[in-house]
């Protein structure tokens, strides 16, 4: 019994040596103080703030701190002298052991330490340089990159057709009065906040309405690639250029014409062709990629595979945001405030963070799996499963066989020749194949129909601009 009480006393003593930290997003425990932790204080002040404990180990156990009273005076003095920050520093005693609690509040202005800027991101402390530093400083000033004045550009660089397109869309969405349909280019840009105090164009004006925005910003491109087994197997590609206010429309046109299937179905005598990906949900994905892209980085990229599509744009999600947050109720945190505001006026997006909810509703209605959203390679990647395309692929295949495997499919000699021709040129027409094989066009069309029924051949896109995909070897 005495042993029991002795052990219990030891457990209590050990428990009492542990501290319960303040509730805070960032809490750090350090056994000792080092001057290098001034970088950490700088990084925390530039981020979300933090509480730091010195004389406490990673298990929250108080281990004591030497010269604690001297540190109580030295630490706040160094923080003020190097960074101009006033931090809350407190000395506590726990069972005869001293420890210090230091609370760092997030700063509204950028803080530097010895001329360098640090930022706490996740569990790492980063030194900011180049574009990252520029964007950080802009955020601290309440501005975004698209709000910067571009003195090289003039109104001559603005495409009036893009302005007219924007006005029509905004009026249709009832976000712009009909009386504004003939507003001057200057008045439209000024009302959108796309001109500075001296009348110069801001970056957003060139991106949204420029005749050739690539002249100023080379990464204003949307690249689409059709791939086979992996990234090394590029079959063909398209590059969409021009202003970003019309970019989503251009991308959708190319996708429908060349990259996505639209299976035909009949309801009574009515014929329907429905895009394999819910059209409005696909538009929302495109609008998000275009509106929230970091335009100092790489192009927007879309990889189209047999079984899925990947849409990637430079610039990661806001801190604390992930897939679960996006598909739920959340606040909108636009990277490019001017671009987002203009696209809102056009009726493309809203300012309440409902874009991904619309995507979710579109995929739920179509009975398709939810897209996967994640930070990837410095940007945001949205992955969409091509369930309808895969269903078409599996038509004629053995039940349980893997897509792309060598299913037992009997092809005639001519059909095998057709498959070889299509592999060399996926865009070849039935008439061109009939010339190559010296048979009438109708014969080729019958062979193609048979190959489609067997699950060997798929048509992506429309009749005039689409292409063939060989599914099985």
């Amino acid at each position: 019994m005495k042993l029991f009480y002795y052990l219990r006393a030891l457990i209590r003593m050990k428990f009492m040596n542990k501290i319960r930290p303040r509730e805070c997003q960032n809490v750090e425990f350090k056994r000792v103080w080092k001057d290098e932790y001034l970088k950490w204080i700088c990084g925390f002040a530039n981020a979300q703030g933090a509480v730091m404990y010195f004389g406490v180990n990673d298990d929250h156990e108080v281990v004591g701190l030497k010269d604690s009273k001297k540190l109580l005076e030295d630490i706040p003095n160094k923080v003020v002298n190097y960074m101009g920050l006033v931090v809350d520093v407190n000395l506590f005693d726990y069972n005869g052991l001293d420890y210090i609690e230091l609370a760092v509040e997030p700063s509204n202005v950028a803080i530097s330490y010895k001329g360098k800027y640090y930022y706490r991101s996740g569990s790492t402390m980063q030194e900011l340089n180049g574009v990252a530093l520029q964007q950080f400083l802009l955020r601290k000033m309440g501005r975004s990159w698209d709000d910067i004045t571009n003195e090289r550009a003039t109104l001559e660089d603005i495409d009036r057709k893009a302005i007219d397109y924007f006005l029509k869309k905004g009026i249709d969405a009832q976000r712009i009065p009909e009386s504004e349909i003939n507003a001057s280019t200057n008045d439209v840009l000024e009302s959108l906040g796309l001109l500075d105090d001296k009348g110069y164009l801001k970056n957003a004006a060139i991106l949204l309405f420029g005749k050739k925005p690539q002249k100023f910003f080379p990464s204003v491109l949307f690249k689409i690639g059709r791939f086979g087994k992996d990234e090394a197997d590029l079959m063909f590609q398209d590059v969409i250029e021009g202003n970003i206010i019309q970019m989503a429309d251009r991308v959708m046109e190319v996708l429908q014409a060349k990259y996505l299937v639209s299976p035909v179905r009949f309801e009574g005598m009515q014929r329907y062709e429905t895009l394999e990906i819910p059209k409005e949900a696909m538009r929302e994905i495109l609008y998000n990629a275009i509106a929230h892209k970091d335009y100092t980085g790489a192009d927007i990229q879309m990889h189209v595979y047999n079984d899925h599509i990947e849409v990637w744009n430079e610039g990661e999600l806001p801190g604390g945001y992930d897939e679960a947050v996006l598909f739920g109720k959340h606040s909108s945190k636009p990277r490019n405030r001017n671009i987002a505001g203009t696209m809102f006026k056009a009726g493309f997006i809203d300012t309440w963070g409902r874009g991904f909810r619309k995507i979710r509703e579109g995929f739920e209605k179509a009975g398709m799996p939810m897209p996967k959203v994640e930070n990837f390679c410095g940007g945001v990647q949205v992955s969409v499963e091509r369930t309808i395309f895969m269903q078409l692929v599996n038509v004629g295949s053995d039940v349980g066989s893997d897509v792309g495997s060598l299913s037992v499919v009997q092809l005639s000699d001519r059909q095998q020749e057709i498959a070889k021709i299509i592999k060399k040129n996926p865009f070849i027409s039935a008439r061109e194949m009939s010339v190559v094989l010296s048979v009438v066009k109708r014969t080729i069309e019958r062979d193609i129909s048979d190959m489609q029924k067997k699950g060997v051949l798929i048509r992506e896109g429309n009749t005039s601009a689409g292409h063939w995909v060989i599914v099985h070897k």
Side-chain angles (χ1 to χ4, degrees):
M1 185 66 70
K2 288 183 179 179
L3 179 61
F4 168 77
Y5 285 112
Y6 176 71
L7 291 173
R8 189 174 73 172
L10 287 178
I11 293 170
R12 283 180 175 176
M13 186 177 296
K14 185 173 182 62
F15 175 76
M16 290 183 68
N17 275 349
K18 292 191 175 184
I19 64 170
R20 185 174 182 179
R22 291 186 184 181
E23 292 185 3
C24 183
Q25 182 179 355
N26 295 304
V27 180
E28 285 289 334
F29 299 95
K30 302 296 180 185
R31 296 179 66 93
V32 297
W33 164 263
K34 297 179 182 178
D35 282 355
E36 67 184 65
Y37 293 142
L38 290 169
K39 295 180 183 178
W40 291 61
I41 294 172
C42 176
F44 283 128
N46 284 328
Q48 290 83 36
V51 177
M52 302 182 71
Y53 292 92
F54 300 97
V56 183
N57 65 20
D58 290 338
D59 292 327
H60 304 192
E61 296 173 344
V62 178
V63 296
L65 198 61
K66 294 181 180 179
D67 299 324
S68 56
K69 292 183 180 179
K70 185 174 184 299
L71 289 173
L72 187 64
E73 182 179 345
D74 287 350
I75 293 173
N77 286 338
K78 289 180 178 178
V79 174
V80 169
N81 292 335
Y82 281 112
M83 292 173 275
L85 282 176
V86 176
V87 293
D88 187 15
V89 182
N90 300 296
L91 176 64
F92 294 101
D93 174 273
Y94 216 101
N95 292 335
L97 298 173
D98 288 344
Y99 73 94
I100 286 177
E101 177 192 69
L102 185 151
V104 186
E105 296 292 334
S107 174
N108 292 326
V109 298
I111 302 298
S112 66
Y113 170 63
K114 292 186 176 180
K116 297 181 179 180
Y117 293 85
Y118 298 90
Y119 190 85
R120 172 73 172 215
S121 178
S123 60
T124 63
M125 191 63 62
Q126 302 174 355
E127 181 183 342
L128 300 176
N129 294 291
V131 173
L133 176 58
Q134 181 192 55
Q135 293 179 341
F136 165 74
L137 294 174
L138 285 170
R139 286 199 306 272
K140 286 297 183 180
M141 292 187 292
R143 301 180 65 188
S144 53
W145 176 85
D146 67 334
D147 198 45
I148 297 175
T149 299
N150 193 309
E151 296 186 1
R152 293 189 299 139
T154 69
L155 285 179
E156 290 297 317
D157 294 301
I158 299 299
D159 186 354
R160 179 64 204 191
K161 292 180 180 178
I163 295 286
D164 291 337
Y165 169 88
F166 160 75
L167 291 172
K168 183 179 184 305
K169 291 292 184 180
I171 292 170
D172 290 345
Q174 297 183 341
R175 293 179 180 177
I176 296 176
E178 288 188 30
S179 58
E180 297 296 314
I181 188 63
N182 294 316
S184 70
T185 298
N186 190 85
D187 287 347
V188 171
L189 296 178
E190 188 172 17
S191 68
L192 294 171
L194 302 183
L195 300 177
D196 71 4
D197 294 339
K198 297 181 180 179
Y200 286 108
L201 298 175
K202 295 182 179 180
N203 285 339
I206 304 166
L207 290 167
L208 287 158
F209 305 114
K211 293 176 181 176
K212 294 182 179 180
Q214 292 77 23
K215 171 183 172 183
F216 301 91
F217 314 113
S219 70
V220 190
L221 301 172
F222 198 117
K223 292 182 177 178
I224 311 172
R226 181 60 167 95
F227 296 84
K229 295 179 293 184
D230 52 40
E231 281 194 22
D233 187 15
L234 176 62
M235 298 163 61
F236 53 88
Q237 63 181 329
D238 283 276
V239 178
I240 313 300
E241 299 182 349
N243 63 71
I244 64 174
I245 197 71
Q246 295 172 292
M247 185 171 280
D249 276 359
R250 296 191 185 107
V251 173
M252 283 300 297
E253 288 174 5
V254 174
L255 289 178
Q256 291 178 255
K258 294 177 64 175
Y259 291 86
L260 302 179
V261 297
S262 299
V264 177
R265 77 177 195 280
F266 289 89
E267 293 182 8
M269 297 298 292
Q270 188 67 43
R271 184 178 188 271
Y272 294 95
E273 290 188 34
T274 305
L275 196 66
E276 60 172 295
I277 308 297
K279 189 177 294 186
E280 293 309 310
M282 189 74 241
R283 282 186 177 276
E284 285 291 338
I285 293 173
L286 297 180
Y287 287 140
N288 272 281
I290 294 168
H292 302 305
K293 177 189 182 304
D294 175 0
Y295 282 95
T296 63
D299 317 317
I300 302 175
Q301 300 168 25
M302 176 181 285
H303 293 68
V304 181
Y305 298 91
N306 275 2
D307 60 343
H308 75 286
I309 297 170
E310 297 169 356
V311 182
W312 180 90
N313 65 272
E314 184 89 25
E316 294 188 343
L317 294 168
Y321 278 43
D322 57 17
E323 185 178 272
V325 173
L326 290 172
F327 283 117
K329 184 177 180 181
H330 65 278
S331 300
S332 176
K333 293 186 177 182
R335 182 185 309 279
N336 306 300
R337 297 178 183 177
N338 292 297
I339 292 173
T342 301
M343 294 183 79
F344 167 78
K345 285 279 191 178
F348 297 160
I349 62 175
D350 62 43
T351 58
W352 299 96
R354 296 188 300 171
F356 276 93
R357 191 176 76 182
K358 293 179 181 178
I359 294 171
R360 183 193 67 200
E361 291 171 351
F363 278 81
E364 286 177 346
K365 185 176 180 180
M368 295 177 61
M370 285 298 106
K372 180 181 179 181
V373 186
E374 59 185 337
N375 284 327
F376 179 75
C377 291
V380 177
Q381 180 167 284
V382 180
S383 301
V384 179
E385 293 184 31
R386 299 186 69 187
T387 54
I388 293 176
F389 182 85
M390 295 307 289
Q391 290 170 8
L392 295 173
V393 165
N394 282 322
V395 172
S397 301
D398 293 337
V399 176
S401 64
D402 293 330
V403 174
S405 65
L406 296 177
S407 302
V408 180
V409 177
Q410 298 294 329
L411 297 181
S412 68
D413 291 342
R414 187 171 54 246
Q415 289 173 344
Q416 291 182 34
E417 289 300 317
I418 290 173
K420 291 178 183 178
I421 292 170
I422 287 174
K423 284 182 180 179
K424 291 181 180 179
N425 180 13
F427 295 93
I428 194 168
S429 67
R431 183 178 297 280
E432 290 170 331
M433 282 188 277
S434 70
V435 173
V436 173
L437 297 176
S438 301
V439 294
V440 297
K441 179 186 173 186
R442 181 59 184 158
T443 299
I444 296 296
E445 290 174 340
R446 281 199 301 267
D447 281 327
I448 286 175
S449 178
D450 186 50
M451 292 169 73
Q452 288 178 297
K453 290 177 182 178
K454 291 176 178 177
V456 176
L457 192 62
I458 297 289
R459 180 72 179 182
E460 281 186 333
N462 59 33
T463 304
S464 59
H467 66 277
W468 301 105
V469 177
I470 298 294
V471 179
H472 295 281
K473 296 182 180 179

